[in-house]
Amino acid sequence: MAFDKDAIIASLKEASISDLNDLVKAIEEEFDVSAAAPVAVAGAAGADAAAKDSFTVELTSAGSAKVKVIKVVKDITGLGLKDAKDLVDGAPSAIKEDVKEDEANDIKEKLEAAGATVTLK
């Protein structure tokens, strides 16, 4: 007996929701598997991402308004003008590390308002 994938798909298209639910339960019992396992794994990965409590603000690109970005970097970091310029010229570079999410988003907004491209890691 050959496996007829197209016939199975056609049968599934015609089945009701309760019939499909019964089919899933029967497959789970027959093969000792659970259809819910991939969802639990995806949920756990999402929980790990949500649990992140410190971020690194990385300047990806200074954009066209480089002078404005240098001034913002200088204000954010407390560096001198030359050091702030070196950070901007060396993009991609970390502007601040291990900051809380609110502070990281605030820094990102300030830099983007000046024309920079920023990523949070």
Side-chain angles (χ1 to χ4, degrees):
M1 179 169 125
F3 182 75
D4 190 0
K5 174 181 65 169
D6 295 330
I8 293 172
I9 292 173
S11 296
L12 290 174
K13 285 181 180 179
E14 296 172 9
S16 68
I17 297 295
S18 65
D19 288 340
L20 293 174
N21 187 35
D22 292 342
L23 175 64
V24 169
K25 287 179 183 178
I27 290 172
E28 286 176 337
E29 289 174 10
E30 179 69 28
F31 297 105
D32 194 27
V33 295
S34 174
V39 174
V41 171
D48 289 344
K52 187 172 183 174
D53 60 349
S54 66
F55 294 85
T56 298
V57 180
E58 182 180 80
L59 176 70
T60 308
S61 168
S64 61
K66 189 173 170 181
V67 173
K68 289 181 183 178
V69 174
I70 292 170
K71 288 180 182 179
V72 172
V73 169
K74 180 180 174 290
D75 291 340
I76 290 170
T77 60
L79 295 172
L81 188 59
K82 182 181 180 334
D83 292 331
K85 181 183 181 302
D86 290 344
L87 253 181
V88 172
D89 287 341
S93 56
I95 301 301
K96 267 207 162 175
E97 297 179 346
D98 298 326
V99 294
K100 299 270 186 229
E101 184 177 8
D102 293 339
E103 184 181 358
N105 286 325
D106 185 48
I107 292 169
K108 182 179 179 184
E109 287 175 20
K110 288 178 183 178
L111 287 167
E112 287 178 342
T117 305
V118 181
T119 56
L120 299 180
K121 294 184 175 185

